[in-house]
Amino acid sequence: MLSSIRAFAKSWVATLLFGLLILSFVVFGIGNRDVFRPKFTNAVITAGSRSVSPAEFKRAFDGYKARVEQQVGHPISAELAAENGLDRQVVEGLATSEAFAEALTKMGIRPADKLIAAEIQKIPAFFDQVTGRFDKNAYQRRLADNGLTPATLEGQMRDQIAEQQAASGLIAGLRTPRAYAALAAIYTVESRDLGYFAIEPTSVTQPAAPTDAQLTELMNENKAQLTRPEFRTLTVVRFSPTQVAANAPVDPAELQKRFNFRKDTLSTPETRTVIQIPAKDAATAAQAAKSLAGGADPAVVAKTAGVEAITYANKPQSAIPDKKVAAAAFVTPNGQVSTVKGDLGLAVLKVLSVTPGRGVTLDEVKPALEAEIRKDQATEKVYALTQAYDDAHQGGANLAAAAAKAGVATTSIGPVSQGGRDLTGQPVQGLSQKLMEVAWTLPAGGESEVEDAGNGEFFAVRVEKVQPAALPPFDEIKPMLTRAWTQRELVRAMQAKADGLVARIKKGESLETVAASAGSSVTQVPGIDRRNAGQNQTLSQDMLAKLFTSRPGDVFSAQNSHFGFVVGKLEAVHDGDPATLAQTAEQMRPQMSSGFVRELGESAHAAARREIKVTIDANRAREAIGLEPIDPKATPAAAGGKSKAPLAK
């Protein structure tokens, strides 16, 4: 059989088959991979040549969620954020931004590297506080602390500058035409006369007391709003620097040791303003020194020597790169000139000013150093407490017993919802987002390991009890349901009565006649315009909305500013005073121009989103923020369309 296979392999048929097989690998790829357009990426968003990684998406999501948490006043879990569509808002915003940045790149708008460097050099956090020089290590360290890399920051700055430059070109000289402002002014100063009468709850038949069946039906109709979220009762043990002695005595030897180590950085070094002119040879140096000593302009002296003057303005000795030049500059008297052979060649120096340095004494910095030492001691004690607790916990003790062995108190919290609120809906103090996230990963009776809470604090949590999400007991909310049912029936009765009265007026009866038949009287409110409408506290938003969308003679019903209804009629519409119109138009023109600019920017972003092919991987976005994918088999959404696996239910 082997001989037959070998014979077949040498035939022209086998050669043809192997050729077709190789061609199929090239065209279709191995394992359905596109050789010409490989898609080996884990990006959450792809927009042309740009992409957003899971880490970048998570950083944007966390930042947005933190701002929402600050607004609502309590922590929000990733699950709750997804349920309310926060992840979708972030991913759509990023997709549009990336599409716009890609469109700008295709237009050729790309800021120069020196512009990026100039922006970075404006950030004080990246400079050494002692030397005043840009500190590359501090730059990278600060970025790492915020989850960034130099490439990421520079890319963000490049996008921002490109967008600013594009916006400047789009809106340069843009002003709203006067005709537009005039139309807006006419709309604004137009006034209307309103006549209305009230329909109070006492004017309709009062509903009978509801039955339990009716209340149960109402409860089921509002099941989603009435269902209470899951609540948990927690026991928490905390390890914090505030638990250890804050005013413990500081060892004088340790204080002196730390002062000796920090003395140089705490002191203010001497600074000088020095002019340095590089010299090619001794003759050039001598001529430059003579000219500087004679009071010549350093820039002119440097130009004569064929070089550029280097100025160190109010800098410490460490800011001058050439150590030999630096040493000479700081021994040369103020106003004098010297020549030195540095590591980089001859240099002529002139000292323009000297600012003496100032050393610190131990007494001056003693409070600050003692605070640092106490903080370090507290950190060590907290770590020792966590180790003692962890040893006991790993040895089989439960949370309470392990905390007792470590000498740390426990705290009972709850019942509390994942949103950090108690049974009455009030925020529970002392919670953190990390604590709630950990607590909601545990079953009833489950205990966490020691978790880092940040700022030198740690915690462990035990879930004592889980109360599943459920409707409250009927008897508990029966009074509330009764009030809601009664109010609903009263509103229906008043609405029906108002509709009947409106129909009578539309058939020809006067507003006053119908009002009198209803036991009410007409109130006239003349001259209502869109500027003063909100000043009249008796007019509800519903009344104003219907007033300004009606035509003269129209009759309508609306809810008033308290629990009741009105029947109203638009009596007349008046044009504004011409002088007031002109003044209002000019006042509104800048505001309308700003609105045009904003809409122009929104249109540009929307156009970029349509033109640039954008792909969103919804499942990968969910995974980036710690959630399970909704549909593991879902494919990414492309071209600005919605993903097949939505981010939020």
Side-chain angles (χ1 to χ4, degrees):
M1 184 172 181
L2 288 175
S3 60
S4 299
I5 294 174
R6 291 191 183 109
F8 174 75
K10 296 178 181 179
S11 68
W12 67 271
V13 177
T15 302
L16 178 60
L17 289 175
F18 286 140
L20 291 173
L21 181 62
I22 293 171
L23 181 61
S24 70
F25 285 164
V26 171
V27 175
F28 300 106
I30 300 174
N32 283 334
R33 291 177 179 174
D34 189 341
V35 174
F36 302 107
R37 293 185 300 169
K39 299 180 180 178
F40 306 123
T41 177
N42 69 337
V44 173
I45 301 168
T46 303
S49 63
R50 301 172 64 88
S51 63
V52 176
S53 69
E56 291 170 331
F57 174 75
K58 184 178 186 304
R59 183 168 58 250
F61 174 80
D62 289 344
Y64 183 63
K65 185 163 71 73
R67 292 192 293 273
V68 174
E69 288 172 340
Q70 187 175 12
Q71 293 174 0
V72 301
H74 62 79
I76 301 173
S77 66
E79 291 81 359
L80 185 60
E83 289 176 6
N84 287 273
L86 265 65
D87 53 351
R88 170 58 60 186
Q89 294 177 37
V90 174
V91 79
E92 290 294 339
L94 286 174
T96 300
S97 296
E98 292 298 313
F100 187 65
E102 177 71 6
L104 293 181
T105 301
K106 289 181 177 294
M107 293 178 192
I109 302 176
R110 181 177 175 82
D113 291 341
K114 65 179 182 180
L115 289 178
I116 311 302
E119 289 299 316
I120 292 174
Q121 291 176 3
K122 295 177 182 178
I123 303 176
F126 300 152
F127 287 78
D128 189 298
Q129 299 301 312
V130 177
T131 65
R133 299 170 60 189
F134 180 80
D135 189 333
K136 185 176 181 180
N137 292 331
Y139 171 56
Q140 295 175 340
R141 185 171 59 253
R142 287 298 184 97
L143 292 181
D145 291 343
N146 290 276
L148 297 170
T149 64
T152 303
L153 177 66
E154 291 161 15
Q156 292 176 352
M157 286 190 165
R158 192 179 304 278
D159 291 345
Q160 291 173 2
I161 294 174
E163 185 163 347
Q164 291 169 0
Q165 292 175 340
S168 298
L170 285 171
I171 67 176
L174 177 64
R175 290 195 69 192
T176 304
R178 282 192 172 87
Y180 287 17
L183 288 173
I186 292 171
Y187 176 80
T188 301
V189 303
E190 171 193 84
S191 64
R192 300 187 170 215
D193 296 341
L194 169 68
Y196 73 91
F197 63 89
I199 300 173
E200 301 296 341
T202 55
S203 68
V204 298
T205 303
Q206 300 300 297
T211 64
D212 286 355
Q214 289 172 321
L215 295 180
T216 300
E217 181 182 357
L218 178 64
M219 182 174 68
N220 291 331
E221 289 174 358
N222 296 276
K223 185 176 182 179
Q225 293 86 346
L226 293 174
T227 298
R228 289 174 176 170
E230 178 184 297
F231 282 89
R232 297 191 170 202
T233 303
L234 313 174
T235 299
V236 179
V237 56
R238 303 179 191 272
F239 307 91
S240 170
T242 58
Q243 294 172 312
V244 299
N247 296 315
V250 174
D251 182 2
E254 176 63 23
L255 179 63
Q256 185 65 49
K257 179 181 177 182
R258 184 161 302 205
F259 173 73
N260 293 338
F261 179 75
R262 298 280 305 280
K263 183 177 181 180
D264 290 341
T265 58
L266 294 172
S267 300
T268 303
E270 176 185 317
T271 59
R272 295 189 171 205
T273 298
V274 179
I275 299 294
Q276 175 185 342
I277 297 179
K280 300 176 182 178
D281 49 45
T284 304
Q287 182 60 44
K290 181 178 178 181
S291 299
L292 287 177
D297 184 349
V300 175
V301 174
K303 186 175 182 180
T304 302
V307 295
E308 291 186 2
I310 302 172
T311 302
Y312 297 99
N314 201 32
K315 297 294 184 181
Q317 184 172 344
S318 58
I320 301 177
D322 192 317
K323 293 184 178 180
K324 292 181 180 178
V325 171
F330 274 74
V331 296
T332 302
N334 187 19
Q336 298 299 309
V337 177
S338 63
T339 302
V340 58
K341 185 175 183 181
D343 295 328
L344 303 177
L346 279 172
V348 180
L349 308 174
K350 183 172 184 179
V351 179
L352 301 183
S353 67
V354 176
T355 303
R358 181 180 178 278
V360 297
T361 64
L362 177 58
D363 289 338
E364 289 176 322
V365 296
K366 184 177 180 180
L369 293 181
E370 286 182 338
E372 287 184 7
I373 294 172
R374 289 194 180 99
K375 183 178 179 181
D376 292 344
Q377 291 174 343
T379 300
E380 293 174 1
K381 290 180 180 179
V382 168
Y383 179 74
L385 291 176
T386 61
Q387 287 297 103
Y389 169 87
D390 196 50
D391 290 343
H393 197 245
Q394 295 294 333
N398 63 21
L399 181 142
K405 289 184 179 181
V408 183
T410 59
T411 303
S412 180
I413 298 175
V416 62
S417 68
Q418 191 172 8
R421 296 183 177 270
D422 61 20
L423 293 171
T424 64
Q426 298 302 312
V428 177
Q429 302 300 318
L431 301 179
S432 67
Q433 180 181 341
K434 180 69 175 293
L435 173 62
M436 302 307 288
E437 288 179 351
V438 172
W440 252 256
T441 63
L442 301 172
E447 298 181 355
S448 74
E449 301 297 328
V450 175
E451 300 285 346
D452 188 349
N455 297 321
E457 298 185 356
F458 299 85
F459 71 88
V461 59
R462 172 185 171 87
V463 178
E464 301 291 353
K465 182 180 179 182
V466 176
Q467 297 174 233
L471 281 169
F474 175 78
D475 290 341
E476 181 182 328
I477 62 171
K478 183 176 179 179
M480 180 189 70
L481 292 172
T482 301
R483 289 192 299 271
W485 189 90
T486 302
Q487 289 181 354
R488 186 185 69 176
E489 295 305 308
L490 280 173
V491 168
R492 289 176 175 176
M494 288 187 290
Q495 181 69 73
K497 182 175 181 179
D499 291 343
L501 297 175
V502 167
R504 287 173 57 186
I505 298 171
K506 287 182 176 180
K507 288 180 180 179
E509 294 187 61
S510 69
L511 185 68
E512 289 75 14
T513 300
V514 174
S517 70
S520 185
S521 59
V522 175
T523 300
Q524 296 291 343
V525 186
I528 307 170
D529 62 37
R530 290 174 175 83
R531 297 170 300 175
N532 63 26
Q535 299 172 7
N536 193 325
Q537 300 300 317
T538 62
L539 303 181
S540 68
Q541 291 298 317
D542 192 24
M543 294 172 64
L544 291 172
K546 291 180 178 178
L547 172 67
F548 285 108
T549 54
S550 297
R551 293 177 295 180
D554 282 356
V555 183
F556 57 85
S557 64
Q559 288 186 303
N560 59 17
S561 55
H562 57 281
F563 188 62
F565 275 76
V566 299
V567 172
K569 181 179 180 181
L570 176 56
E571 304 284 7
V573 176
H574 307 286
D575 294 333
D577 176 66
T580 304
L581 278 173
Q583 182 180 8
T584 304
E586 287 304 311
Q587 291 173 348
M588 296 182 68
R589 199 175 180 195
Q591 181 181 354
M592 292 188 68
S593 296
S594 299
F596 271 34
V597 169
R598 182 175 61 255
E599 291 175 6
L600 186 62
E602 293 172 355
S603 298
H605 281 76
R609 184 71 184 268
R610 290 193 300 269
E611 295 298 323
I612 302 298
K613 181 179 179 181
V614 178
T615 301
I616 298 173
D617 192 324
N619 283 327
R620 187 161 284 128
R622 287 180 61 86
E623 292 172 351
I625 59 177
L627 301 179
E628 291 294 327
I630 291 178
D631 182 3
K633 297 181 181 179
T635 55
K642 292 186 177 180
S643 169
K644 295 182 180 179
L647 285 176
K649 294 181 180 179

